[in-house]
Amino acid sequence: MFAPVPLRPGIVAPNGVWLAPLTNMQSDADGACSDAEARFLGMRADGGFGLVCTCAAHVAQDGKAWPGELGVHDVAMLPGLTRLAARIHGTAPVAGPGGPPTRPLACAQLFHGGLRANPAVSGLPTWSASAWEEPGAPAARAATEADIDGVIDAFVAAARRCAAAGFDAVELHGAHGYLLSQFQSTVYNTRSDGWGGALEGRARLLRATTRAIRAAAPGLALVVRLSPEDYGQARGIDLDETLQVARWLVEDGMDVLHLSLWRAAAASTKRPDAHPTALFRAAVGDAARIVVAGGIWTRADAEAQLALGADAVALGRAAIANHDWPRRVASGSPVTQPPVDAAHLAAEGLSPGFVDYMRRWKGFVREA
Ligand SMILES: Cc1cc2nc3c(=O)[nH]c(=O)nc-3n(C[C@H](O)[C@H](O)[C@H](O)COP(=O)(O)O)c2cc1C
């Protein structure tokens, strides 16, 4: 867990304990990175995380899903993104065993909400693979060819922007039922043209985006986050199909596969005798690194994933409550677990708005 993890020639994470992407509502209204957001992420870099990922950051205004969401959609975001990458890198380098000192890697999660984007926040209508309506949400229209071409271009431009800002990696958000996952889904995608139908069609947007970023930004490590099977808003996602998508993504130039499991200790739903981490390791062989997220709180939780074949773990809630989880665990110090006092979260670098957002996560914040 504390050994360096090479992602791509010249890009090495100093260890295998990474910060998961965490929506934190701390960006400015126009998507610019705020001091509060840079402080929260910078503290995790200082705390020993080997790779620090931003929250889901919209690549186009019509993909924005939450107020205070980071933007990578416009050249005006560049100064804030540059300051953020520098803040993450500014952490004192860690000496690798027998090798040169390495610094934490900075990664940006590239996101489009599709039908989960919010017109009240973005000011624009929503669209997805197919038209979609559900109670309490604005209706989404079906994507045109121009939408699809435009969003691939937007992902590529965002990746280039992140490279220019000094990031080491970008992560495509292909999980959790957002745009790229909506296209993969048999529920959300009912198209009968080349962007739907069989898995080849449903995976085409994700694959085309991966290949386009790989070609446009060869200096970046390319991570792709997937939901292996249905969970929450990720619907119509089949385990065996996602295994095939992972194999294709290796051909397309993905360096790191990020499995979002929510409960990493649990077996697959479709195949209760098998664990997703082991299945995906068998599928991609040693052609890609694998990072796993979901309910990792202790050293034993992390080591269990490495034993199943992961190269790294990504922490969400444990990292919100413990900015220095890697240092604590390496030295055997105790880790704070929920419910967590609001004052403790403030000391861990969360602004009042982020603490409020964490109240939506059941049992996380201790209520007075
Ligand atoms: C407050 C919060 C915000 C999150 N935001 C994102 C996000 O922007 N992008 C994403 O892919 N996952 C997001 N997730 C999911 C986490 O990255 C992670 O996969 C999940 O929380 C499970 O890991 P954990 O049990 O260590 O928290 C979020 C989770 C939380 C708790």
Side-chain angles (χ1 to χ4, degrees), residues 1-3 15 17 47-49 94 297-299 302-303 324-335:
M1 173 174 23
F2 295 109
N15 63 45
V17 189
F49 285 90
V94 183
W297 281 94
T298 65
R299 183 174 193 137
E303 285 174 345
D324 54 352
W325 192 96
R327 292 200 199 294
R328 277 173 189 271
V329 164
S331 65
S333 304
V335 162

Side-chain angles (χ1 to χ4, degrees), residues 160-171:
R160 283 207 177 104
R161 222 165 267 132
C162 293
F167 281 81
D168 308 285
V170 289
E171 172 170 299

Side-chain angles (χ1 to χ4, degrees), residues 67-114:
E69 181 177 298
L70 184 67
V72 284
H73 61 304
D74 195 283
V75 70
M77 304 296 111
L78 207 43
L81 293 169
T82 305
R83 277 196 299 278
L84 177 59
R87 173 65 187 85
I88 292 168
H89 289 151
T91 297
V94 183
T102 48
R103 56 187 190 176
L105 299 181
C107 177
Q109 192 184 44
L110 307 185
F111 166 80
H112 191 292

Side-chain angles (χ1 to χ4, degrees), residues 20-23 55-56 109 173 176 225 260 262 293-296 315-317 320 357-358 361:
L22 291 166
T23 289
C55 62
Q109 192 184 44
H173 196 342
H176 302 172
R225 190 170 222 211
S260 176
W262 294 101
I296 292 165
L315 274 60
R317 282 160 287 190
I320 294 174
Y357 180 54
M358 289 314 298
W361 296 78

Side-chain angles (χ1 to χ4, degrees), residues 140-199:
R141 63 171 174 77
T144 62
E145 289 280 340
D147 291 322
I148 294 172
D149 291 347
V151 85
I152 295 171
D153 288 349
F155 272 106
V156 168
R160 283 207 177 104
R161 222 165 267 132
C162 293
F167 281 81
D168 308 285
V170 289
E171 172 170 299
L172 274 179
H173 196 342
H176 302 172
Y178 297 110
L179 183 73
L180 297 171
S181 169
Q182 287 157 24
F183 268 80
Q184 186 188 327
S185 161
T186 50
V187 171
Y188 299 121
N189 185 345
T190 55
R191 299 176 75 96
S192 52
D193 65 0
W195 300 99
L199 183 62

